[in-house]
Amino acid sequence: KQEVTQIPAALSVPEGENLVLNCSFTDSAIYNLQWFRQDPGKGLTSLLLIQSSQREQTSGRLNASLDKSSGRSTLYIAASQPGDSATYLCAVPGRFGAGTRLTVKP
Amino acid sequence: DGGITQSPKYLFRKEGQNVTLSCEQNLNHDAMYWYRQDPGQGLRLIYYSQIVNDFQKGDIAEGYSVSREKKESFPLTVTSAQKNPTAFYLCASSAGATNTEAFFGQGTRLTVV
């Protein structure tokens, strides 16, 4: 059974820092991996989708990488801003991690 | 504009009652999903449907039922058999079941009173 784990569970950084969120999965036979953002009490907003044949995807200050062989993905956020404060979740089809709660302090 | 609409945003249920949560999408997506989210936990899959008139149980289907009579709609009924229904429910859709991007609604918060 596929398990998805995210480390750390929570992260607090000062504004302007670059940061990395980690996601690991136990079964490397995945079609894709998706990163989401969730604000309190809201639904999920898709950030990046990496297909199994891809190594990384970039959108603005966000960069996500995928290493299927090691069962890992990372989400890199450059020059963090207070508006980036949210919970970030990674998912493979049908299976989600518990998320990393990010706080960016002004 | 295109998207997924869940209603209501907040729902209160008395013990022993069935309630139905609505999910509608105008993205022309084939696949639709229902997830449950509890505080501090990831999303857990309740039911999913890859095509009209077909659906499969997810990890926690007991106490829930769904229908998929139309491509645009995938309502979830929380029955009285669900012993702990208080949670945040999220509906999602994707063009296909596996290798396409999933989009989510804004969720329904169900509280048993």
Side-chain angles (χ1 to χ4, degrees), chain B residues 9 17 21 39 41-43 47 56 61 63 69 72 77 79 84 92-93 100 102-103:
Chain B
K9 186 174 182 180
Q17 283 184 337
L21 283 61
Q41 298 187 32
L43 278 67
Y47 269 99
Q56 287 80 40
E69 298 176 0
E72 314 81 61
T77 297
T79 75
N84 185 22
S93 72
T100 60
F103 296 88

Side-chain angles (χ1 to χ4, degrees), chain A residues 81-94:
Chain A
Q81 303 170 359
D84 294 332
S85 297
T87 297
Y88 291 82
L89 298 101
C90 69
V92 298

Side-chain angles (χ1 to χ4, degrees), chain A residues 7-60:
Chain A
I7 296 173
L11 182 63
S12 181
V13 300
E15 182 177 5
E17 275 204 4
N18 302 325
L19 56 99
V20 175
L21 307 181
N22 296 293
C23 173
S24 62
F25 47 94
T26 54
D27 185 351
S28 61
I30 61 170
Y31 289 100
N32 60 52
L33 185 141
Q34 196 167 354
W35 282 93
F36 295 89
R37 168 187 174 134
Q38 186 177 30
D39 293 289
K42 303 292 186 181
L44 277 65
T45 300
S46 178
L47 297 174
L48 290 164
L49 172 72
I50 311 176
Q51 301 291 356
S52 61
S53 59
Q54 298 174 322
R55 296 283 292 184
E56 65 177 330
Q57 281 286 339
T58 298
S59 176

